[in-house]
Amino acid sequence: MKKLSLTLCCIVGALVVHAQQLKKVVYTDGKQQLKGLVTENSGKKLPGVLILPAWKGIDNEAKQAALDLEKAGYIAFIADIYGEGNIPVDNAGAAQIAGQYKNDYKAYQHRITLALEQLKKAGATQVAVIGYCFGGTGALEAARGNLPVAGVVCIHGSLGKAADRAQTAFSTKILVEHPAADKSVSKADYDNLILEMDAGKADWQIITYANTGHTFTNPESPEYNAVMAKRAWQHTLLFLAEVLK
């Protein structure tokens, strides 16, 4: 019993420490309240990374990425795209609200812009964007919208865009980290993204990870691949160091 109590205390203590390392930031889009998270080095003059979370909103993967980025010398801010009262509780709800922002990409770009403003207020000197899944789609939308960022990293994001959208001349560097067995990305979307980036004269690269399903970077996913996730993170850090330092 004593061992169990000690274990529980350690777990609770670890969770408290984890929570204390990220600070809540409340901001708004009109009447919609948004609640992001920023690392404790907020206020210093450092390069910054905006993290766009997956389709269920701010999750443990995004939080851990923020903490790891802080250790690497960056201010990290996790965006709240959906806003208070709109966080989905299951996959069906997540698919619905994420789909709304994928279709209304200007609204998505606007929410990303608001989060970038918060990161700047936190002291970020230069800024890059990384995103997971739905957030990876957002990273590409930041590039397509020519938002003021030095680079974007799309981590197992959706790659397609509507055929009737105008071609963009890209002004930011792009890294796509793509799982080889991602069933949510068609070959057509993959090929069309390359055509899109080439037509927009982008500085781009795609790294494809073998033996990986869609959510290969998330330790809480059954598709998690520890070896490839570690490689992807090192590739992310290498890219961020190039564009921000």
Side-chain angles (χ1 to χ4, degrees):
M1 182 63 71
K2 289 183 179 179
K3 290 183 178 180
L4 177 60
S5 297
L6 180 60
T7 300
L8 290 174
C9 287
C10 290
I11 292 173
V12 172
L15 290 174
V16 170
V17 170
H18 186 278
Q20 289 173 337
Q21 290 178 306
L22 296 172
K23 300 184 291 185
K24 185 182 296 183
V25 178
V26 178
Y27 58 115
T28 59
D29 182 3
K31 294 182 179 180
Q32 176 64 62
Q33 188 177 82
L34 306 167
K35 294 182 178 179
L37 293 173
V38 70
T39 47
E40 285 192 325
N41 56 357
S42 171
K44 298 181 180 180
K45 293 298 181 183
L46 293 168
V49 180
L50 178 65
I51 301 172
L52 302 178
W55 69 344
K56 286 187 178 178
I58 296 175
D59 58 12
N60 290 331
E61 183 174 25
K63 292 176 184 178
Q64 188 60 55
L67 296 174
D68 290 342
L69 287 167
E70 181 181 17
K71 292 176 184 177
Y74 302 100
I75 300 170
F77 184 85
I78 309 176
D80 177 7
I81 298 299
Y82 300 147
E84 186 177 23
N86 299 315
I87 307 303
V89 297
D90 55 26
N91 288 344
Q96 181 178 10
I97 192 167
Q100 291 173 6
Y101 281 95
K102 287 180 181 179
N103 291 328
D104 188 357
Y105 64 89
K106 290 185 178 180
Y108 199 0
Q109 291 171 346
H110 178 63
R111 288 282 167 91
I112 296 169
T113 298
L114 294 177
L116 287 170
E117 291 172 357
Q118 294 302 315
L119 181 54
K120 285 287 189 178
K121 289 179 182 178
T125 51
Q126 298 184 79
V127 176
V129 176
I130 73 171
Y132 298 89
C133 187
F134 168 64
T137 305
L140 290 177
E141 287 301 343
R144 288 169 175 146
N146 282 311
L147 302 190
V149 298
V152 304
V153 185
C154 168
I155 306 169
H156 55 78
S158 176
L159 308 182
K161 73 169 189 177
D164 59 351
R165 287 179 61 178
Q167 173 65 50
T168 299
F170 291 100
S171 60
T172 187
K173 296 181 180 182
I174 301 170
L175 168 62
V176 177
E177 298 180 352
H178 179 65
D182 192 341
K183 297 178 181 178
S184 68
V185 174
S186 68
K187 185 178 185 303
D189 283 345
Y190 182 96
D191 292 344
N192 286 335
L193 176 66
I194 294 175
L195 293 174
E196 176 190 359
M197 293 188 294
D198 281 345
K201 301 186 183 305
D203 177 340
W204 66 268
Q205 57 189 313
I206 297 177
I207 302 176
T208 301
Y209 300 89
N211 308 311
T212 52
H214 176 58
T215 50
F216 77 102
T217 61
N218 189 343
E220 298 177 5
S221 167
E223 295 180 313
Y224 179 60
N225 184 316
V227 172
M228 295 299 178
K230 183 178 180 180
R231 290 180 187 174
W233 185 247
Q234 291 305 312
H235 292 147
T236 297
L237 292 178
L238 181 65
F239 178 81
L240 292 175
E242 176 189 329
V243 301
L244 294 179
K245 292 185 176 182

